[in-house]
Amino acid sequence: MSVKQNINPNELNLTESVIKINRVAKVVKGGRRFSFSALVVAGDKRGHVGIGLGKANEVPEAIRKGVAQAKRSLIRIPLKNGTITQEVQATFGSGNVLLKPASGGTGVIAGGPVRAVVEAAGVQNILSKSLGTSNPHNVVKATMKCLEQLRDAQEIFITRGGQIEVDTFEDVVVPAAKPAKAQQALKDNEEE
């Protein structure tokens, strides 16, 4: 699971897109009062994405609030060759989303809400299936839960007990179980 990081949205070149605008009517004595909610996704197409829900009496104000919330909820996802690192599945409410990595040239095979989120994140090749409800709110939140589960190879290696030593020229990976043996192997490689 990814740890919540503080990402400064001002340093990123974010693009916003509106996924859904919903009109809500409240019945009062004099008639109906309308308000609007906007589901918005923001991302830099380089591995940062966030979603937001804005509510207001006017559509532009709801979109503005949604964009502000999306910028506050940014997460970083690991990308490898334009796709995700592993297959993930997540549920939010009755929304259930499955995301699979795809080879180059596949494109984004995804429905509307899922497509908006993964394209904002910068994923170019992915296979997806929405298995539960078609409600965009739950599908988008399930997609974000999927993306939060993604980890890169170095993260997994460290959680399994490995150590990564950073050299000035290259990254040298030393397994934690056999550090002396790995050090000897590195010395042998340097002598050759």
Side-chain angles (χ1 to χ4, degrees):
M1 302 282 188
S2 67
V3 179
K4 181 70 176 157
Q5 301 171 341
N6 288 334
I7 299 169
N8 186 357
N10 299 328
E11 297 172 358
L12 304 172
N13 186 15
L14 296 175
T15 60
E16 303 97 16
S17 65
V18 177
I19 298 171
K20 170 97 171 143
I21 294 179
N22 191 30
R23 187 181 76 172
V24 180
K26 176 183 179 184
V27 179
V28 292
K29 186 177 179 183
R32 294 186 185 95
R33 290 225 178 113
F34 295 108
S35 64
F36 298 90
S37 66
L39 185 62
V40 180
V41 62
D44 68 346
K45 300 190 185 296
R46 289 188 177 159
H48 293 93
V49 67
I51 58 166
L53 177 66
K55 297 178 180 180
N57 290 330
E58 302 293 330
V59 175
E61 183 67 11
I63 293 172
R64 188 194 60 75
K65 287 181 180 179
V67 168
Q69 188 178 1
K71 287 180 179 179
R72 285 193 303 270
S73 70
L74 285 174
I75 62 167
R76 188 194 69 79
I77 64 165
L79 296 176
K80 185 176 181 183
N81 299 329
T83 189
I84 58 177
T85 52
Q86 74 256 11
E87 181 178 325
V88 284
Q89 185 171 359
T91 303
F92 186 90
S94 59
N96 191 351
V97 173
L98 169 68
L99 300 178
K100 286 185 177 182
S103 58
T106 304
V108 178
I109 311 295
V114 178
R115 175 181 290 270
V117 174
V118 296
E119 283 182 347
V123 180
Q124 295 154 354
N125 302 299
I126 194 167
L127 301 169
S128 73
K129 181 67 181 166
S130 179
L131 302 166
T133 183
S134 60
N135 179 352
H137 295 271
N138 289 337
V139 172
V140 165
K141 288 175 183 171
T143 305
M144 287 297 289
K145 278 179 74 174
C146 281
L147 296 177
E148 287 171 3
Q149 292 175 12
L150 293 174
R151 298 187 297 169
D152 58 3
Q154 287 183 343
E155 246 183 288
I156 294 170
F157 181 74
I158 291 168
T159 57
R160 291 181 182 173
Q163 295 176 333
I164 298 177
E165 295 180 5
V166 179
D167 196 15
T168 54
F169 299 106
E170 59 185 354
D171 290 343
V172 181
V173 177
V174 181
K178 303 171 191 168
K181 205 174 199 180
Q183 291 293 339
Q184 183 63 36
L186 287 173
K187 287 179 185 176
D188 292 343
N189 287 338
E190 289 173 3
E191 291 172 5
E192 292 176 0

